[in-house]
Amino acid sequence: MALYQEMGVLTQVQDKAFTATHRPGTSAPYAGIYRCTKCSHEIGIAEGHILPAQTHGKHPASLGDIIWQLVVFAQHN
Ligand SMILES: [Zn+2]
């Protein structure tokens, strides 16, 4: 689970960007932290970079395909 210290630096929102899921090998639609919905492994990634493939080290094959979901959007000013 993503952690943070200061309450004022994150804002909770309801947005479809956080419910959409993404396949490994596709580009991240937003910069931020993504979580594998199967094994809870988290990554930080820049917008447009490729979400890690099935072969990333921490995902047990027994859980099936990786499904990435955005958990924290990195807002650029
Ligand atoms: Zn995983």
Side-chain angles (χ1 to χ4, degrees), residues 3-12:
L3 305 175
Y4 67 100
Q5 178 170 307
E6 204 171 315
M7 294 287 286
V9 300
L10 292 177
T11 302
Q12 184 179 23

Side-chain angles (χ1 to χ4, degrees), residues 36 38-41 56 59-60 66:
C36 173
K38 303 285 183 65
C39 73
S40 301
H41 179 67
H56 85 75
H59 184 83
I66 294 169

Side-chain angles (χ1 to χ4, degrees), residues 3-70:
L3 305 175
Y4 67 100
Q5 178 170 307
E6 204 171 315
M7 294 287 286
V9 300
L10 292 177
T11 302
Q12 184 179 23
V13 297
Q14 300 294 320
D15 192 289
K16 64 183 178 186
F18 296 97
T19 56
T21 57
H22 309 281
R23 295 264 173 216
T26 61
S27 64
Y30 304 101
I33 298 172
Y34 288 75
R35 174 182 172 274
C36 173
T37 63
K38 303 285 183 65
C39 73
S40 301
H41 179 67
E42 294 173 341
I43 59 162
I45 191 166
E47 179 180 338
H49 285 209
I50 302 302
L51 291 163
Q54 192 71 27
T55 53
H56 85 75
K58 300 192 185 272
H59 184 83
S62 61
L63 295 180
D65 292 343
I66 294 169
I67 305 290
W68 294 111
Q69 189 170 24
L70 179 67

